[in-house]
Amino acid sequence: MAWVFLCPNSLTRYLSACGCGKNTVVTMSKEFCKGLLQSEELYKYILETSVYPRQPEALKELRNITCNHPEAVMATAPDAGQLMGMLLNLVNAKKTIEVGVFTGYSLLLTALTIPEDGKVIAIDVDRGSYEEVGLPIIKKAGVEHKIDFRESEALPVLDELLSHKANEGGFDFAFVDADKENYWNYHERLMRLIKVGGIVVYDNTLWGGTVAKPETSTSEWRRGGRKAILELNQKLSADQRVQISHAVLGDGITICRRLY
């Protein structure tokens, strides 16, 4: 989940659907509506000046349609997506992995960026939002053939890939935006699947800014994810297998480049 502010009321709708009371909705809307930059005006400036003018029409269409989804806050942040597109180009990505798909915004971005004979293995436990929202646009964009969608929990799929020796070091890039408690488990497997020099990007690694706040000031429903992200950030910092950069885009992304 990316905590992206694609449309003004998406957070309120999401929290209401989760059964949160009015006070929670108001409090959390204040927490998230400005993004980690803490300025709606500055974030809007970045999007309108540097992101949206460069965005392919298919991505614009999918972003706009995703705005109407009751869980729209789970979509990948447009500014984070722009950086991901550059990273994909920098490593000449051809074979990639995506853990967590939702409507398919980052998946479409990847499919548009990699070459015609490239492939994305996309993993999600539920393909409903992808098929209903993203797939029609992906088909219209002519990139469906690049996507190998696996409806499953991610660990069995990653383990199955690792059961084939040829897959070790066989992928160029991975993006992870799924259950936070398993991020480190995904990392250990991706360190074997991604080539030396390849890149793994983890989403939500600042968790609404709560990683720098006392647990007592964090909403109860966010504490489990906060704990997992804090542990991930510490482990990534100590992991000598990767070069890292913690970027304040969206809800925070951590970029890991495999060194050996």
Side-chain angles (χ1 to χ4, degrees), residues 157-168 192-193:
V157 175
L158 297 177
D159 286 339
E160 192 276 331
L161 290 173
L162 284 169
S163 70
H164 303 280
K165 189 70 175 177
N167 285 328
E168 293 198 16
R192 295 172 59 192
L193 289 165

Side-chain angles (χ1 to χ4, degrees), residues 31-250:
E31 180 179 350
F32 289 114
C33 67
K34 295 178 181 177
L36 292 172
L37 288 172
Q38 296 300 302
S39 166
E40 288 184 68
E41 293 78 15
L42 185 55
Y43 188 53
K44 182 179 178 182
Y45 172 82
I46 292 170
L47 293 177
E48 293 183 348
T49 303
S50 303
V51 179
Y52 292 159
R54 296 292 191 98
Q55 201 170 51
E57 287 302 318
L59 280 177
K60 291 180 183 179
E61 183 180 0
L62 182 50
R63 186 187 75 244
N64 290 335
I65 293 176
T66 299
C67 276
N68 296 316
H69 195 286
E71 298 176 349
V73 290
M74 292 173 61
T76 302
D79 51 337
Q82 185 181 55
L83 178 58
M84 284 170 52
M86 181 180 289
L87 294 172
L88 284 159
N89 283 325
L90 286 172
V91 297
N92 296 313
K94 184 174 181 179
K95 292 182 64 180
T96 76
I97 297 171
E98 179 149 336
V99 181
V101 175
F102 187 42
T103 63
Y105 182 88
S106 55
L107 180 58
L108 173 58
L109 182 150
T110 300
L112 288 169
T113 306
I114 61 177
E116 186 65 19
D117 59 344
K119 186 66 68 177
V120 190
I121 294 179
I123 313 165
D124 201 297
V125 293
D126 181 6
R127 66 187 302 147
S129 296
Y130 166 69
E131 287 192 341
E132 294 170 13
V133 181
L135 187 55
I137 297 171
I138 287 169
K139 287 181 176 179
K140 186 166 64 174
V143 293
E144 183 191 9
H145 65 284
K146 301 181 187 181
I147 297 169
D148 177 3
F149 192 102
R150 313 279 183 94
E151 186 174 13
S152 169
E153 293 183 357
L155 290 177
V157 175
L158 297 177
D159 286 339
E160 192 276 331
L161 290 173
L162 284 169
S163 70
H164 303 280
K165 189 70 175 177
N167 285 328
E168 293 198 16
F171 293 85
D172 308 300
F173 183 93
F175 176 58
V176 181
D177 183 10
D179 52 318
K180 313 311 166 193
E181 289 76 11
N182 268 314
Y183 266 28
W184 186 254
N185 291 327
Y186 300 147
H187 183 73
E188 289 290 1
R189 288 156 175 81
L190 290 170
M191 283 300 97
R192 295 172 59 192
L193 289 165
I194 299 296
K195 70 181 183 182
V196 172
I199 288 176
V200 183
V201 176
Y202 295 97
D203 201 4
N204 305 116
T205 55
L206 292 176
W207 204 234
T210 62
V211 291
K213 298 177 182 177
E215 183 179 19
T216 53
S217 68
T218 304
S219 302
E220 185 175 350
W221 70 278
R222 289 179 62 81
R223 290 183 184 179
R226 174 184 176 275
K227 180 176 183 293
I229 290 297
L230 283 170
E231 292 175 357
L232 172 78
N233 290 340
Q234 290 173 352
K235 288 179 177 179
L236 289 179
S237 179
D239 189 354
Q240 297 303 306
R241 295 171 296 181
V242 293
Q243 176 186 12
I244 67 170
S245 177
H246 211 159
V248 187
L249 297 172

